[in-house]
Amino acid sequence: MTTKKSFSDIYDALQDAMRRNNRVSIKYNKLESTMTTRTIDPKRFVVLPERQRTKYGRIGVNAFCHLRQDYRIFAVYRIEELTNNQ
């Protein structure tokens, strides 16, 4: 298990997980400023709506969330930590 914390490392790890069809665990900073831990199967990157103003704020990942048992979109810049579940 490898833990990633920088934006570029998290982005690269998500891309690798998509390519290999791997599951990852993330610590995600929700809009309400609360941290949640999710296990996801990342599927593809998406462009988020214009309301995001940071350099990386427009990149999201569409993923199957095992907690919610449904597909969700996670803003990549809100992922504080990513751990590979290989």
Side-chain angles (χ1 to χ4, degrees), residues 4-56:
K4 309 288 184 186
K5 292 191 177 184
S6 74
F7 179 90
S8 60
D9 286 345
I10 288 170
Y11 182 90
D12 290 344
L14 286 168
Q15 192 171 19
D16 188 53
M18 286 180 223
R19 199 171 37 249
R20 296 173 189 236
N21 249 355
N22 285 346
R23 184 174 295 175
V24 296
S25 294
I26 60 172
K27 287 189 180 175
Y28 189 73
N29 190 3
K30 296 182 354 180
L31 285 174
E32 304 83 31
S33 298
T34 58
M35 192 71 67
T36 182
T37 300
R38 306 282 182 104
T39 300
I40 62 171
D41 297 331
K43 299 300 179 191
R44 63 188 172 112
F45 289 111
V46 296
V47 176
L48 298 173
E50 283 291 328
R51 67 179 181 267
Q52 307 297 336
R53 295 187 187 265
T54 67
K55 179 179 178 182
Y56 303 112

Side-chain angles (χ1 to χ4, degrees), residues 23 38-41 63-72 74:
R23 184 174 295 175
R38 306 282 182 104
T39 300
I40 62 171
D41 297 331
F64 182 80
C65 175
H66 290 271
L67 177 66
R68 301 293 181 214
Q69 290 295 299
D70 198 8
Y71 283 88
R72 297 285 194 257
F74 298 93

